[in-house]
Each structure stands twice: as structure tokens, then as C-alpha cells.
Amino acid sequence: MKKGMSGRVKLLLILTALVAALFAISSALFGSTWLHGAVQGLLTPIRGGVNAISKQVERYYDYVFSYESLEAENEYLKSRISAMEEEMRSADALERENKRLKELLNLREEHIDYQLDAAYIVSWDSSNWKSTFSINKGSNAGLEKGMIAVTELGQVVGTITDVGNNWATVTTILDTSMEISASVASSGYTGVVQGSLDPTSRDSLRMSYLPSDAILRNNDQVVTTGSTVYPKDLILGYIVDAGYDETGVSKFATLTPAADFEALEQVFIVTHFDSE
Amino acid sequence: MLDKLYITPRQWGHIFRWTMYFLLVLAAILLQTVIFGNGGMFGQRPDLVALVIISVCFREGPERGGLFALLSSTFWALSGIDQGALQILCLTALPLLGSLLCRKVFAASYMASLTVCILTLLVSQSVGFLLKMFYEAAPGSLYFTRLLPGILVSLLFQPLIYWLVKCIEKIGEPYEAT
């Protein structure tokens, strides 16, 4: 070696250690700093633009290379729409009848009053063992930490864990840090659903602490039990496997999430719900 | 006074070069988080930002490249990534030391750059993974099923990024010597 480290390199290494320490301390004490917000605020519109362009390119590609399958899908969807319209007509009749019967019995119709705010996903976390994404709405739209994100079908996607002016970070239910109190809809068994980093199946959930005598069937629906954070009866997933846990005193179930995370483009944030 | 404000064509070249490096980092951030964010490539998300930072640091040397690595990794950490402080530390110190070592001991060849890339990705991601195991009880098998394949997928992009950085490096080079 000609000579060791120059003074500038040493200074740079010290500066790096200081910046990293400052970053760690400020993140631990204050969460998101104004600098963090500024960079996110700058990147969010750019990410939104790139996302929109990539979607257009994808659509164009699909149009060119999958025209026949799209045509078949279109026909299928048309038939589904007409079938659903028929169902809606009969549902309207049943609803009217139901209403009359409820009035007759002086029952009060229950409503879970959700207020939803639609948001688009602009980017996903870059790490292979974390499942978060950013959306294009933030505190300006009234979003807060702890609010939950669902799909248009009422399937749980995740919880807002960080908010800026025009962006928010949603940690999905697939992430290992998430724990949600849940129950099996058909039988009422309760447990805790956690994201699983199962190497054989990337998008799977694990429901733990089920009673040892619980009878679990495939495709049983698992829903939220409801709390101040999560509204009741939102769909988390479906049971695909079950067994005894490591201790042997309780059962666990493996779930496939109800929401299709691969195809997720838009989510709905529940900004208000009646927790009673 | 006005003489001092005058920017020579060579200085313009330097400004343009560093702007291009920053745009390359920005493009890597957008590719990594938007295009490869959901789904990735072969089921893995390539770490493109790290590759750009390492390549620039390697080509520009430990002093200028190291400063660029510090600024870029801080910007990357502020963009909302997981374990930001660790990324700042690893993505600055490791390429800087790698660049320094290669210049002192080995020739600054492509193979040396590839080695620095592999070592930086391995160390930074392994430390991050260990923290994940410690705090969130992630299973150890993920090291072989997710981390190593992720690094391999990232390395597929290394020749392209190295070539782009090499092209940008030529901007603002002195041509009086020819």
C-alpha cells in the first residue's frame, strides 16, 4: 500500500457514522422527520407519474398480446354483470320484505357506518421481507396512523403505519409485524392472525392460539373480531391448512389472504366506523 | 468578483456528470419501488440503488464517490425504506472501503467492482436480516430462500449499471491531454 486512508476519507467515515446515528435516534424518538416528509413528498408525485406510465404500457402490452383473452374475459364479465343485475333485482325484493318484517318485529336495523376514502398505490417496499406500500393520499385527506385499508370487497389489506401530507405507508397483513384478533366465521373459534414469511408460500397468513379441540375445515372464512382499530367481520382470508402448534396445546391454521395482493392497485381507507 | 462566478466548460461538464449520477439513483429508486415493487423479477426485488451507489463510488474513488454514496444513501433512507440508518452506514462505508482497498491493492477492474458489489450486498442485507430475525422472529431458512436469490437477481443488473456509470464518468473528462 502506498499510504493509509487520507484525512478526507477518515472524515467521511466519521460523518457517515454520525449521520446514521442521527437518523436512527431521530427515527426512534420522533418517527418521521420533516426531512423524511420532504423527500417522500417530492417522490410521491414522481412515483405516481411513473406508476401511471407503467400501467399504460402494461395495458398497451396486454392489448397487443392478449387481445383474444381480453375479448373472452369481456364476454364473461358481461354475462356476470347481467347475472348480478338479476340477483340485485331479487335482492331488492328480499330487502323490502326483510324491512317490512323488521318493522313488524320492532327490530332496529343495524348499520356499520363506514366512511371510505379511495387511494391509489404508488410504490411498494423494496425489501424482500417486509410488506408495505405507499399510497397517494395522506394527512391532507384526513388519513391518520392506525386506520385500516380494505379492498372494494371488504377484504382487509393492512394498516396505515406512517403518514405524510400527500402520502401514507400501509403495512399489509402479510407483514410479520401485524397481529390481528380474528375468528372463524362459521364456528366462532377465535385466534390471532399474523403475517407469515413462509418460504414455500409468500402470501400466507397464520392463525394461532386456536383451541386444541377446534374443528377447522378448508375454505372456512376468517374474519376480524372487531376492536377500536378494526371493524368487525371484515374478511381476512380462508383456511387452507391446520395443525397443532409447537407446544401441542393449541391449534394453528394457515390461511390464504382474501385480498389479491398481486393485483392490488387501489385501496379504500376506513376513516370512520361505528365500533359498537 | 465576476471572474470567480464564471463557470468553465469543464466545470459545467462536472455539474452535468454529477446531475446524471443523481438522476441514475432516482431512476433506480423508481424502478426498484414502482416497477419491481410488487412482484419483482423471478419473485425477488433487485437492490438497484445499492448497485448504482457502489458503482459510482468505485469509479469515482473513495473521496468523491464516498461523499456521493453518503448523500445518495441518506436520500434513499429518507424516502421511507426499512432500516434506514443501517442502509446509510452500509451503503457508504462498505463501497468506500472497497473502493479504497481496490485502488491500493488491486487494479480498479470490473471484476474488483463486482466483488465489492457482492460483498456490500451480502453484508448490508445479512445485517438487516439478522435484525429482522432478532426483532420479528423471521425464520432462518429465509436467508437461503429469499436473501441469496435476491442478491443473485440484483447482480443480473450489475453489468448494465456499471456500464452506465462508466459512460457517465466520461462526461467532463479533461481532453487537453490528447
Side-chain angles (χ1 to χ4, degrees):
Chain A
M1 270 196 213
K2 285 175 250 174
K3 60 174 184 177
M5 279 186 212
S6 71
R8 280 183 189 176
V9 172
K10 282 178 189 164
L11 186 69
L12 207 53
L13 284 171
I14 294 166
L15 199 63
T16 303
L18 280 174
V19 171
L22 200 67
F23 191 92
I25 293 165
S26 65
S27 296
L29 291 179
F30 313 113
S32 295
T33 59
W34 65 269
L35 259 174
H36 181 99
V39 172
Q40 280 270 50
L42 175 79
L43 284 175
T44 299
I46 303 172
R47 280 170 169 163
V50 173
N51 199 25
I53 292 166
S54 76
K55 293 281 178 236
Q56 279 299 331
V57 172
E58 206 174 301
R59 276 188 204 121
Y60 183 74
Y61 178 88
D62 286 345
Y63 178 76
V64 172
F65 295 100
S66 331
Y67 185 77
E68 282 181 10
S69 64
L70 282 174
E71 208 170 37
E73 192 182 348
N74 194 25
E75 284 302 314
Y76 171 71
L77 288 173
K78 276 181 184 170
S79 65
R80 280 288 305 272
I81 286 170
S82 54
M84 284 168 82
E85 279 174 348
E86 179 61 39
E87 278 174 14
M88 270 182 69
R89 278 193 289 276
S90 58
D92 283 345
L94 285 169
E95 195 181 326
R96 282 195 299 275
E97 187 186 351
N98 191 26
K99 200 174 179 181
R100 280 196 303 273
L101 286 168
K102 276 183 178 173
E103 279 169 356
L104 191 69
L105 292 167
N106 285 327
L107 286 175
R108 187 182 168 200
E109 196 173 0
E110 284 182 44
H111 289 287
I112 297 173
D113 192 17
Y114 294 169
Q115 279 177 17
L116 298 167
D117 199 347
Y120 280 94
I121 297 169
V122 291
S123 71
W124 286 79
D125 186 86
S126 56
S127 157
N128 274 316
W129 35 79
K130 191 149 181 74
S131 185
T132 64
F133 58 78
S134 301
I135 53 174
N136 65 344
K137 281 191 180 172
S139 54
N140 287 347
L143 304 192
E144 291 170 14
K145 271 187 192 178
M147 286 178 173
I148 74 150
V150 295
T151 66
E152 65 276 20
L153 300 171
Q155 301 153 331
V156 184
V157 172
T159 308
I160 293 180
T161 47
D162 205 1
V163 190
N165 288 337
N166 60 348
W167 58 271
T169 302
V170 175
T171 300
T172 77
I173 53 171
L174 304 176
D175 197 88
T176 47
S177 62
M178 296 292 282
E179 281 186 351
I180 305 157
S181 176
S183 67
V184 180
S186 60
S187 53
Y189 296 122
T190 56
V192 175
V193 169
Q194 235 189 328
S196 158
L197 283 167
D198 179 1
T200 55
S201 171
R202 185 172 174 180
D203 296 340
S204 67
L205 304 168
R206 183 182 161 111
M207 186 174 187
S208 308
Y209 312 118
L210 286 160
S212 58
D213 58 346
I215 299 162
L216 304 164
R217 288 169 302 187
N218 273 355
N219 291 324
D220 267 354
Q221 199 178 58
V222 175
V223 295
T224 53
T225 50
S227 67
T228 51
V229 180
Y230 281 88
K232 202 179 172 185
D233 290 336
L234 288 174
I235 311 162
L236 283 162
Y238 300 93
I239 293 177
V240 288
D241 195 12
Y244 284 96
D245 67 8
E246 295 80 10
T247 60
V249 292
S250 61
K251 273 187 171 176
F252 76 91
T254 306
L255 319 179
T256 186
D260 182 3
F261 285 89
E262 293 284 325
L264 210 56
E265 286 180 20
Q266 190 182 21
V267 290
F268 299 88
I269 310 299
V270 182
T271 53
H272 176 82
F273 68 95
D274 187 1
S275 58
E276 284 175 11
Chain B
M1 179 70 184
L2 283 172
D3 288 350
K4 285 179 182 172
L5 289 173
Y6 178 74
I7 298 171
T8 63
R10 197 178 159 195
Q11 285 170 325
W12 274 120
H14 284 170
I15 292 169
F16 184 54
R17 174 165 50 151
W18 289 102
T19 309
M20 289 299 286
Y21 282 143
F22 174 72
L23 289 177
L24 192 61
V25 169
L26 195 63
I29 290 174
L30 294 173
L31 264 175
Q32 192 170 329
T33 58
V34 180
I35 310 292
F36 293 123
N38 191 14
M41 193 181 183
F42 306 120
Q44 302 293 331
R45 291 164 184 163
D47 199 349
L48 303 178
V49 180
L51 292 179
V52 173
I53 292 173
I54 298 162
S55 299
V56 173
C57 191
F58 190 81
R59 295 298 311 176
E60 291 289 342
E63 289 183 7
R64 284 180 302 180
L67 184 62
F68 176 81
L70 175 61
L71 295 175
S72 305
S73 58
T74 306
F75 184 80
W76 174 224
L78 287 169
S79 74
I81 57 164
D82 196 26
Q83 300 169 338
L86 177 73
Q87 292 295 322
I88 294 173
L89 201 63
C90 289
L91 290 183
T92 306
L94 294 172
L96 190 153
L97 292 172
S99 171
L100 191 73
L101 188 73
C102 286
R103 276 159 193 266
K104 302 273 183 198
V105 183
F106 312 108
S109 64
Y110 170 73
M111 285 314 289
S113 151
L114 186 66
T115 312
V116 173
C117 268
I118 294 169
L119 287 175
T120 305
L121 289 174
L122 257 177
V123 173
S124 65
Q125 298 208 13
S126 298
V127 175
F129 180 72
L130 283 174
L131 289 175
K132 191 86 181 168
M133 270 180 80
F134 184 73
Y135 287 112
E136 291 176 25
S141 58
L142 285 173
Y143 190 86
F144 300 100
T145 56
R146 300 286 288 278
L147 189 144
L148 293 180
I151 291 176
L152 282 177
V153 169
S154 301
L155 289 174
L156 292 178
F157 291 88
Q158 201 268 348
L160 174 69
I161 289 172
Y162 185 81
W163 177 75
L164 282 172
V165 169
K166 210 173 163 183
C167 290
I168 295 170
E169 190 196 5
K170 287 176 186 159
I171 300 170
E173 267 187 352
Y175 45 81
E176 291 88 354
T178 55

